[in-house]
């Protein structure tokens, strides 16, 4: 392989959200952090060099999107996902979660119902509740070891006056890559009841072989006209700290209203380094990404084999996408406090405790496998030793 994903990079002392808070958050400094969703891999060297060149310009003024930026975004979506978009459809946000919150603010009123599908990435709850809206839970069902959508319940909830659906695709934490057929059923329900769809597609590039991400808005013009598609290079290329997301809104009326809300909060100016990172990633990053996916597959295979041999009582939901693994640990304990104590105090590891993803997550843990295999192996060994002690 051209890229060395086994390289261990010391991120301590770099103001790392993931690595420099262990003692504060977990009570001991030597905890191995496999929780927050950033990777312990360097991005493609071409991206690093582009950012360095940008830094060397020496004046860090207000920044605009250029024609080359649009071409990079459009080319990526066309090549990787078969979706042709127009320049005018592309707007921005400092991140995907700020975009979700802004859309909730701009397109609903206090007290309105917003649908999510639990268990789900916990900021989904925050952007609904903290904006004074009502969470409507279209809870996912587990069938044959993977999550499926309850379409009958979604139809009922849409008919009862919900305004928005926050759609996590691919799904975090379950790793489902929704099929075209599943997304079509979702879209037909939403069109039928006038429900807007906010598609968080931040993990769209991180899909394992044999599965394919389908952008929700690419399925039909009717779906495009009710949709906001939120993407970023942050997960794909490990660039979360550069604060640059793209929001794709084909409907001119919705886009105008979104941009007005963005400007109202003065969030419409672009990140000086973020645009460079996006353009260079989408221009030069494909070979790196292909090798990353293969490496992540190896990490996933390692985890599945390890758990089968050492902790067979833990049931692992095999992801189809993302670098996040959802594990049913209820055979160990259904008490979040017990699982936290087991991880932080006894094992010295930090996975994400499942109850933050919704009540369905109680007794589950989410593991971030986007790290060198040696770190993953040590974390799993620590956890297994603690469970079996």
């Amino acid at each position: 392989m051209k890229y060395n994903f086994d390289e261990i990079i010391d991120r301590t002392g770099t103001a790392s959200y993931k690595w420099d808070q262990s003692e504060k958050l977990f009570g001991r400094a030597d905890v191995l952090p496999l929780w927050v969703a950033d990777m312990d891999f360097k991005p493609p060297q071409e991206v690093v060099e582009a950012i360095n060149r940008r830094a060397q310009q020496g004046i860090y003024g207000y920044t605009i999107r250029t024609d080359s930026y649009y071409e990079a975004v459009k080319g990526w979506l066309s090549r990787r996902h078969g979706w042709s978009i127009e320049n005018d459809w592309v707007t921005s946000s400092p991140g995907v979660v700020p975009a979700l919150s802004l859309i909730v603010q701009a397109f609903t009123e206090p007290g309105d119902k917003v649908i999510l599908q639990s268990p789900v990435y916990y900021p989904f709850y925050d952007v609904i509740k903290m904006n004074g809206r009502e969470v409507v839970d279209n809870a996912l069902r587990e069938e044959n070891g993977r999550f499926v959508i309850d379409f009958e319940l979604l139809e009922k909830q849409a008919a009862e006056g919900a305004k928005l659906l926050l759609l996590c695709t691919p799904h975090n934490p379950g790793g489902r890559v929704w099929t075209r057929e599943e997304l079509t059923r979702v879209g037909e329900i939403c069109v039928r009841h006038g429900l807007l769809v906010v598609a968080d597609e931040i993990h769209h590039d991180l899909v394992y072989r044999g599965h394919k991400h389908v952008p929700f808005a690419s399925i039909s013009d009717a779906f495009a006209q009710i949709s906001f598609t939120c993407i970023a290079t942050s997960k794909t290329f490990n660039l979360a700290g550069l604060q640059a997301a793209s929001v794709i809104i084909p409907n001119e009326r919705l886009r105008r209203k979104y941009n007005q809300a963005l400007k109202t909060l003065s969030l419409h100016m672009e990140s000086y380094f973020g645009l460079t990172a996006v353009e260079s990633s989408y221009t030069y990053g494909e070979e790196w990404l292909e090798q990353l996916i293969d490496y992540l597959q190896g990490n996933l295979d390692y985890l599945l084999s390890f758990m089968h041999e050492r902790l067979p009582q833990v049931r692992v939901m095999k992801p189809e996408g993302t670098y996040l693994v959802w594990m049913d640990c209820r055979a160990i304990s259904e008490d979040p406090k017990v699982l936290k104590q087991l991880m932080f105090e006894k094992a010295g590891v930090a996975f994400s405790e499942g109850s933050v993803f919704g009540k369905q997550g109680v007794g589950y843990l989410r593991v971030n496998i986007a790290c060198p295999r040696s770190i993953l192996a040590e974390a799993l060994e620590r956890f297994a030793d603690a469970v079996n002690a």
Side-chain angles (χ1 to χ4, degrees):
M1 294 178 67
K2 178 178 177 179
Y3 301 98
N4 181 17
F5 295 106
D6 285 320
E7 179 186 2
I8 295 177
I9 301 167
D10 185 2
R11 297 179 64 192
T12 59
T14 64
S16 167
Y17 186 79
K18 181 178 184 180
W19 282 90
D20 287 331
Q21 298 192 96
S22 291
E23 189 163 9
K24 175 183 175 182
L25 296 177
F26 311 122
R28 51 188 285 190
D30 63 342
V31 165
L32 283 179
L34 279 70
W35 59 290
V36 67
D38 74 2
M39 299 190 281
D40 292 320
F41 307 131
K42 287 181 180 178
Q45 185 60 28
E46 294 90 344
V47 177
V48 175
E49 291 171 357
I51 293 170
N52 284 339
R53 287 194 299 271
R54 187 74 163 144
Q56 289 168 8
Q57 292 174 7
I59 297 177
Y60 311 121
Y62 295 119
T63 302
I64 61 170
R65 284 173 273 167
T66 62
D67 289 343
S68 58
Y69 166 85
Y70 287 112
E71 291 307 311
V73 174
K74 292 194 304 181
W76 185 265
L77 289 172
S78 176
R79 292 191 308 275
R80 302 293 300 189
H81 303 294
W83 186 22
S84 296
I85 67 169
E86 303 295 332
N87 287 17
D88 290 346
W89 299 0
V90 182
T91 181
S92 61
S93 170
V96 166
V97 173
L100 302 182
S101 185
L102 190 67
I103 293 165
V104 169
Q105 286 182 29
F107 294 90
T108 66
E109 299 295 333
D112 280 349
K113 297 176 180 179
V114 178
I115 300 173
L116 52 69
Q117 296 171 312
S118 71
V120 73
Y121 183 47
Y122 44 88
F124 277 36
Y125 297 92
D126 295 339
V127 301
I128 298 171
K129 292 178 179 178
M130 295 177 74
N131 281 307
R133 277 60 168 175
E134 180 184 341
V135 171
V136 176
D137 188 4
N138 178 238
L140 300 173
R141 301 197 314 265
E142 187 175 342
E143 292 182 2
N144 300 317
R146 67 178 194 162
F147 285 130
V148 297
I149 297 169
D150 188 335
F151 294 105
E152 291 183 5
L153 179 59
L154 180 61
E155 182 93 50
K156 179 176 181 292
Q157 292 165 332
E160 290 174 348
K163 303 296 185 182
L164 281 176
L165 167 65
L166 301 186
L167 179 67
C168 193
T169 173
H171 182 257
N172 171 11
R176 271 304 313 277
V177 175
W178 306 115
T179 65
R180 178 178 294 273
E181 290 72 26
E182 289 170 311
L183 293 171
T184 297
R185 290 189 68 182
V186 169
E188 288 171 347
I189 290 169
C190 294
V191 168
R192 195 153 48 240
H193 297 284
L195 192 66
L196 296 176
V197 177
V198 188
D200 174 359
E201 301 191 8
I202 197 169
H203 293 278
H204 65 160
D205 295 317
L206 298 165
V207 173
Y208 297 108
R209 311 299 180 192
H211 301 279
K212 180 174 176 55
H213 171 76
V214 178
F216 173 80
S218 73
I219 296 173
S220 74
D221 183 62
F223 294 0
Q225 293 303 312
I226 61 167
S227 70
F228 308 80
T229 302
C230 304
I231 62 171
T233 54
S234 53
K235 293 293 183 280
T236 307
F237 295 103
N238 205 26
L239 300 167
L242 295 182
Q243 302 289 290
S246 300
V247 184
I248 302 165
I249 312 173
N251 182 305
E252 183 180 358
R253 178 182 61 83
L254 299 182
R255 187 171 64 251
R256 191 183 307 116
K257 188 171 183 178
Y258 173 87
N259 284 334
Q260 180 65 31
L262 197 70
K263 191 171 183 180
T264 298
L265 295 175
S266 198
L267 295 175
H268 59 294
M269 300 305 295
E270 302 293 344
S271 164
Y272 181 87
F273 292 107
L275 292 186
T276 298
V278 170
E279 184 176 333
S280 58
S281 295
Y282 286 158
T283 302
Y284 302 109
E286 274 182 277
E287 182 182 10
W288 183 93
L289 176 59
E290 290 295 330
Q291 293 190 22
L292 170 70
I293 290 170
D294 288 338
Y295 189 85
L296 292 175
Q297 181 68 63
N299 275 2
L300 175 59
D301 293 342
Y302 181 91
L303 180 144
L304 292 169
S305 177
F306 182 96
M307 301 306 286
H308 177 73
E309 294 175 10
R310 296 286 302 280
L311 292 173
Q313 69 272 44
V314 174
R315 194 164 52 87
V316 180
M317 181 175 285
K318 184 178 180 180
E320 299 165 350
T322 82
Y323 49 72
L324 307 167
V325 182
W326 191 235
M327 304 197 310
D328 182 352
C329 297
R330 289 176 294 177
I332 299 172
S333 178
E334 295 189 25
D335 187 340
K337 291 182 180 179
V338 171
L339 291 176
K340 287 180 180 180
Q341 183 183 43
L342 177 67
M343 287 189 292
F344 309 152
E345 297 179 22
K346 296 182 179 179
V349 299
F351 308 143
S352 295
E353 188 275 310
S355 67
V356 299
F357 298 89
K359 61 184 180 181
Q360 283 182 290
V362 173
Y364 287 76
L365 299 175
R366 190 194 74 174
V367 183
N368 175 356
I369 63 170
C371 59
R373 197 157 304 149
S374 59
I375 292 177
L376 175 63
E378 182 178 350
L380 295 178
E381 288 284 354
R382 289 188 188 187
F383 185 66
D385 287 347
V387 172
N388 293 324

